[in-house]
Structure formats: C-alpha cells, structure tokens
C-alpha cells in the first residue's frame, strides 16, 4: 500500500550535552532521552537484579541444587531468545560449579511451545530434579503441575505476559508478572536468565562458596555476547537497560571477547566482527539461529552457541546457514501464495480489512511468523498466518502494528467467544494461537471486526517517520560513523531516518530487483540503493527528482569505503 513520509516534530533538546552533534542531539531528544544520564551505557547503571520479584527465591533454589549436585534440566524455547537464554543458563551454571545439568528444547512440530506435560515427562526421564524454564513457562500451568507430580522443583524464568492463571512453580522470575516492580518490562528472556545467574553468584559469594573451594569467582560478563544477541533478535524495546546489555555485548564481540559460535555466525552472515552493529544481530545472526527452530531442531542452534572450538562451530554455523537458505525459499513461496490469496479477494488500498487472517493447509509452521510480518509490512494491517497443526487444529502466528496490542485483542476475543481459541499467548506486537481448522472463517471475521473497533484511519495509514531533512554537510562517512556508534538502535529506539528531495542522476537495476542510484543534493553527490523495488515502476527514465527516506550507511567494496544511502522509501517528486 502507499505510504506517506511524516517528519517527527522538533522537540526541545537543550537539556542534552552541548558537545553532542546538533542533529544527533535532536534525534536523542525525539526518542525520549530526557537527560544525559539516560545515555549512560555502563554496567554500573544497569537496573539492580534484586528488583525482580521471585529472583531471590529462584537463586536460593539454584544454589541448593548446585551444592547437592542435583540434576538440573533447562527447558528452552525454539527461537533465538530461547536459544541464547538456554546457552546463558548452560554456561552460567557450569561457571558457578554445576556439573549435572542439561537442556531440552521442545521440537515445535512434535511438542509445541514451552513446558507442556509431555516435556515434563521427558525431563523426568532424563533424571530431572530441578526444572528451569527460560523464555517460557508463565502459561505452563499443566506442565508445571505434571513436573510437581514427578517430584521436581520448578523455576520459571520468562518475560511473556501472564494469563489469568499462573503456574504453581517453586519460583517465578518474570518482569511482567503481577506485583513485579522491575522498571524494565521489556527485558528479554535471555536478560531474565542473565539476571538470575548474577543473583545466584551473589548468594554463592555470601556463602563463601568460591573461597572455600579455592576457585576464582567467575566473571559473568562473558555471557553478555549471548544476552545482546538474544535481546535484539527477540525485537524487544531497547529501553536504557536493554541498550546497556546490548552495547556491552557488542563491545565484547568487537574486541574479540566472544565465543566460537558467535564468531562462526558472524562469518557465515558475511558481517565484520570489529564493526558489528545491533542490526547485524537482527538481520544477520538472528535469522540463522532462528532457522534451526523454524525448520529443524533448535538444539542445533544452541550447540553452535556452546561449541568449544572454531572447527565445530563453523560446521554447525554452515548447517544453520543452509537451513536459513531453505527457510527463505519456503517463505518466498508462501508469500507469493499469500499475495495471490489477497489478490483474489481484490483489495484496493481503500478497502483492505482492518486485520488480515490467512490460512493454507500446506504452509510450513516454521515460517508463518515471518510471512505474517512481511504481509503486515506491505499492507500495514495486523496479520495472522495459519498452518496445519495436529488433531484438526491450526496454529497461527500474529504480527501487529502500532496502536493494536495483539495479545490483548486475542484475550478479548477469547473472553467473548470462549470456545473459539484453544490457546494463545504473546506480546503487544507478536503472538501465537491455536484454533480448530473448521473455525477459521469465523475467527477471520471476528478478528477483523474486533480490530476495526480499535484501529482509527490514522493508525491504518502506513507512515514512514523521519528525523527530517539532513543538512548537506552531514553527507559524510564521518557523520555516518557517528550515527552508527550512537546506538545501539532497535525496537522503540529506531535508527535515524532522514528524508530529502534529490536530483536523480543515475538509476539501474542490480541483482533481480534492487535499484542502484546516484543522487545529488545541492553540491553533494551520493550513491544510494533501494532493495526489492517494483521493477514495473523502476527504473523510471522520465523521473528527474525523487523524494527519499533513507538511513546512512558505509559501503565497503574491494577495501574502499564510501558513503551510501539505504533507501527505506522512494517516490517520484
């Protein structure tokens, strides 16, 4: 659908340090940076772990389990946050002295999500005495009950929103649980796991655990590379606390203080380790890690993160890269089919429903979330894509737009039509659910109907929000480098996007559908590239001027660096 460029309103930035570049100062102020302290990225200003409800109890249980060398089983999730959370717990427990722990990640095609009763049975079969969930568990009422029947202690660590009923676990650590006063509700699952390791070490220190055994107290900062990767890959809001975690992890990786698995993922993604950015996590490393959980078994991704040597890590990373290529092919095929379904419904830009639900019985469960995200981006509508599950059920993955809390909408539908949704869970912008296949049409209608009551015309209009016109003197490698280093940028703290009118000097298609351009702004001449353009519209020989929304980038080619604009939106001016 057609989008419109809208510039952010100018805000007062006089409260920020005068040494900050004036353009960057306005960028920071417009993103809610209310004082210079909010730009601090040292670990000393990280939120205190003890603010998390239940963390003292959970860590005491872990200390006891380690002291008795009880069998601890980590139950993870099959996405990048789940994989990094599992790796943090596995390595963290080893550093703290446990030698009797292992992990289980439910295969999405056999067991579904989280600590189900079947996974509790499986954990017990492996000798579990203590079960620790990471990035899941807040909705595992039946799974926790089964684990307790088996005589296991259960620690739930999660960050998803709780439902009306919470599990009867021995301890729950979740910033979003009722009564938790931890200020950052956007902490990822891997962040929760890291905080639990910190408090567990603190309790062991108080018991003289390390001194009595004449062992060095472990530096848990070595887990921050995993925390940074999982935080960005899970697309949680980068509030100050999350920016600290990501910035510290990136700093370690760029300095070479990281694990073989992350180095191998950087290599197969074709990224530069010394110049790695948060967006490289989101678009390079995260998708390769996620591909294991989407198409195969996330255990492969976790083994990559835990690999001891580069040879093993590179072998697994190559396998993950192959899976990611296969995922892309499946996704592209599904997206084409989804587009054809939408065309058959003959939507124009004026009559697209307020929300879209799509289902086809041969679609792949592992990539429906990505397809939902692509459709949502194209049509700017909350979108749910369904694929076949088991026993006459279908599983959906939902992606939303700003202004519609998708999990709350599903909860509202469930409250009004209690027999319709089998189960659901998630966040404001992403959720998952299961319904009976024969209920799809009814759900599709109700989803659009309830969404339309919450979405105004303004919210349904696709908008590219920019930081305004970039001054001519800022078209330089130096300024682009400044912007790159001023993050980390990400969800709710977006990388600066500018918009200018340019004279179109040159234009040509490279690859299948990427538009390479030379643009002129005053005396400035700069290279630009727009990915995945409509080749029916571009190149356009009649077009002499363009209005462009863009990010600044530094292109490296044959050892030479040059400024390049990455085009977010392009229109003839």
């Amino acid at each position: 659908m057609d989008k419109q460029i809208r510039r952010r309103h100018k805000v007062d930035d006089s409260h920020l340090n005068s040494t900050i570049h004036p353009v960057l100062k306005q960028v920071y102020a417009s993103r809610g940076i209310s004082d210079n302290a909010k730009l601090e990225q040292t670990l000393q200003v990280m939120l205190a772990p003890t603010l998390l409800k239940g963390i003292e109890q959970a860590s005491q249980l872990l200390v006891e389990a380690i002291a008795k060398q009880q069998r601890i089983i980590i139950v993870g999730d099959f996405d990048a946050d789940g994989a990094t959370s599992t790796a943090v717990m596995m390595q963290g427990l080893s550093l703290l002295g446990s030698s009797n722990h292992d992990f289980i990640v439910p295969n999405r095609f056999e067991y579904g999500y989280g600590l189900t009763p079947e996974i509790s049975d499986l954990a017990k079969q492996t000798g579990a005495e203590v079960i620790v969930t990471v990035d899941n568990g807040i909705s595992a009422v039946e799974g926790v009950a089964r684990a307790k029947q088996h005589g296991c202690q259960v620690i739930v660590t999660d960050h998803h929103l709780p439902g009306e009923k919470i599990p009867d676990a021995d301890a729950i650590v979740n910033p979003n649980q009722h009564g938790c006063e931890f200020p950052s509700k956007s902490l990822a699952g891997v962040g929760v796991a890291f905080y639990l390791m910190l408090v567990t070490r603190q309790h062991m220190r108080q018991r003289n655990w390390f001194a009595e055994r004449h062992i060095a107290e472990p530096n848990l900062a070595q887990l921050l590379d995993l925390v940074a990767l999982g935080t960005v890959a899970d697309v949680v809001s980068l509030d100050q606390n999350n920016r600290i975690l990501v910035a510290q992890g990136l700093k370690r990786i760029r300095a070479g203080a990281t694990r073989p698995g992350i180095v191998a993922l950087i290599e197969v993604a074709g990224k530069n380790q010394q110049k790695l950015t948060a967006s490289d996590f989101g678009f390079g490393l995260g998708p390769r890690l996620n591909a294991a959980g989407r198409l195969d078994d996330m255990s492969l991704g976790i083994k990559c993160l835990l690999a001891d040597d580069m040879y093993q890590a590179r072998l697994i990373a190559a396998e993950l890269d192959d899976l990611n290529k296969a995922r892309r092919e499946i996704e592209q095929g599904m997206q084409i089919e989804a587009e054809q379904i939408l065309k058959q419904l003959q939507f124009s830009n004026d009559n697209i429903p307020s929300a879209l639900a799509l289902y086809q019985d041969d679609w792949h469960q592992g990539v429906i979330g990505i397809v939902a995200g692509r459709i949502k981006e194209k049509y700017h509508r909350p979108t749910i894509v369904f694929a076949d599950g088991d026993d006459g059920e279908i599983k959906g993955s939902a992606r939303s737009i700003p202004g519609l809390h998708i999990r709350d909408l599903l909860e509202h539908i469930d409250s009004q039509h209690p027999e319709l949704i089998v189960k659901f869970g998630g966040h404001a912008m992403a959720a998952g659910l299961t319904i009976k296949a024969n209920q799809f049409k009814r759900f599709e209608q109700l989803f659009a109907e309830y969404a339309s009551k919450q979405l105004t015309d303004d919210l349904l209009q696709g908008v590219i929000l920019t930081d305004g016109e970039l001054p001519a003197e800022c078209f330089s490698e130096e300024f682009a480098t400044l912007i790159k280093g001023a993050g980390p940028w990400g969800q709710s703290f977006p990388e600066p996007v500018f918009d200018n009118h340019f004279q179109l000097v040159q234009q040509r298609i490279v690859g299948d559908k990427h538009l390479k351009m030379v643009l002129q702004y005053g005396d400035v001449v700069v290279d630009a590239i727009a990915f995945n353009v409509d080749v029916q519209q571009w190149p356009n020989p009649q077009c002499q001027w363009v209005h462009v929304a863009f990010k600044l980038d530094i292109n490296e080619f044959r050892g030479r660096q040059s400024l390049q604009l990455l085009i977010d939106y392009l229109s003839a001016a």
Side-chain angles (χ1 to χ4, degrees), residues 352-371:
I352 306 173
S354 296
L356 300 171
L358 302 167
Y359 163 58
Q360 197 160 294
D361 59 11
D362 61 349
W363 280 350
H364 195 291
Q365 235 184 76
V367 296
I368 53 177
I370 298 175
V371 175

Side-chain angles (χ1 to χ4, degrees), residues 223-352:
L223 303 174
L224 283 166
D225 54 350
L226 294 167
V227 179
L229 171 55
T231 298
V232 175
D234 208 45
V235 204
V236 294
S237 293
L238 289 192
D239 58 17
Q240 185 182 12
N241 201 62
N242 279 336
R243 289 200 306 278
I244 291 168
L245 295 172
V246 173
Q248 291 293 326
L250 278 170
K251 191 175 176 182
R252 294 186 66 84
I253 293 169
R254 289 175 191 143
T258 188
R259 64 206 60 244
I262 285 184
V263 173
L265 286 169
I266 291 169
E267 289 174 353
V268 295
K271 303 300 179 183
N272 184 327
Q273 184 175 340
Q274 284 73 42
K275 297 178 181 177
L276 202 74
T277 66
S279 65
D280 293 329
F281 285 145
F283 297 104
L285 281 66
R288 284 163 175 82
L289 203 52
N290 273 324
R294 294 188 190 285
L295 300 189
D296 191 7
D297 183 346
M298 188 42 105
S299 298
L300 188 68
I302 296 166
K303 285 172 185 169
C304 181
L305 297 175
L306 294 174
D308 290 327
D309 63 83
M310 279 307 305
Y311 178 74
Q312 182 192 20
R314 283 179 174 134
L315 284 178
I316 303 173
E319 203 173 333
L320 292 173
D321 194 43
D322 288 341
L323 281 171
N324 192 49
K325 287 169 185 166
R327 184 270 304 167
R328 275 193 203 136
E329 288 178 14
I330 294 167
E331 178 202 330
Q332 284 166 2
M334 282 176 57
Q335 196 171 338
I336 289 167
E337 289 171 357
E339 290 284 351
Q340 287 169 346
I341 291 172
L342 291 171
K343 277 180 186 172
Q344 287 165 13
L345 296 172
Q346 296 183 321
F347 295 141
S348 71
N349 280 343
D350 299 326
N351 73 346
I352 306 173

